[in-house]
Amino acid sequence: MLTHRHPYPDADLQEVLSRNHTAAHLLTALARATPAHAPIWDHIHLALVDERDILAELASVRAERAADRRRRADLIAAMRATLAAHAEGEHDPLFYIRDEVQAQERAEARRAPGTGGGR
């Protein structure tokens, strides 16, 4: 469970993309109606294309951030399990941390093919 959440909700990227799409259609209609202003419309169109590119990058960054949060939460859970195992006198309390680190290394090796795998 992720306990630290950002205090402000993330913008709905699909909604922003939908508004961008609508604006592009309106821009096309305006450009057809007033071709004399073509340089202005071209400039605005490029800004809308840039916005779509930024939205795609932001979606990717959000996905990476969520994955990082999950990995961190899993490591914290392993640390807590290790501390509890130590307090209970288990034979190998560090097993939990080793197991989680190895699991994350295997997952990383699967995400990055051609890097030579894990350790």
Side-chain angles (χ1 to χ4, degrees):
M1 174 186 286
L2 300 179
T3 57
H4 301 305
R5 296 190 186 275
H6 196 279
Y8 307 105
D10 289 331
D12 181 352
L13 297 185
Q14 188 59 47
E15 182 64 30
V16 173
L17 191 58
S18 178
R19 287 192 301 267
N20 178 286
H21 186 70
T22 299
H25 281 290
L26 292 171
L27 183 61
T28 299
L30 286 170
R32 287 182 183 147
T34 56
H37 296 103
I40 294 170
W41 305 135
D42 289 344
H43 183 73
I44 295 171
H45 177 74
L46 288 174
L48 290 174
V49 170
D50 289 344
E51 180 184 28
R52 286 192 296 260
D53 292 344
I54 290 169
L55 288 171
E57 187 174 337
L58 179 57
S60 174
V61 168
R62 282 184 178 179
E64 289 175 24
R65 183 182 71 180
D68 286 344
R69 285 176 149 173
R70 179 60 190 202
R71 285 189 291 273
R72 185 182 74 191
D74 289 346
L75 284 169
I76 290 170
M79 287 182 233
R80 288 179 176 151
T82 295
L83 291 173
H86 175 71
E88 293 174 7
E90 284 191 25
H91 172 69
D92 185 16
L94 290 177
F95 162 80
Y96 300 99
I97 291 177
R98 279 195 309 274
D99 184 57
E100 183 57 34
V101 168
Q102 289 171 357
Q104 289 191 19
E105 287 174 346
R106 285 189 303 271
E108 181 64 31
R110 284 191 302 270
R111 282 190 300 274
T115 60
R119 293 189 168 135

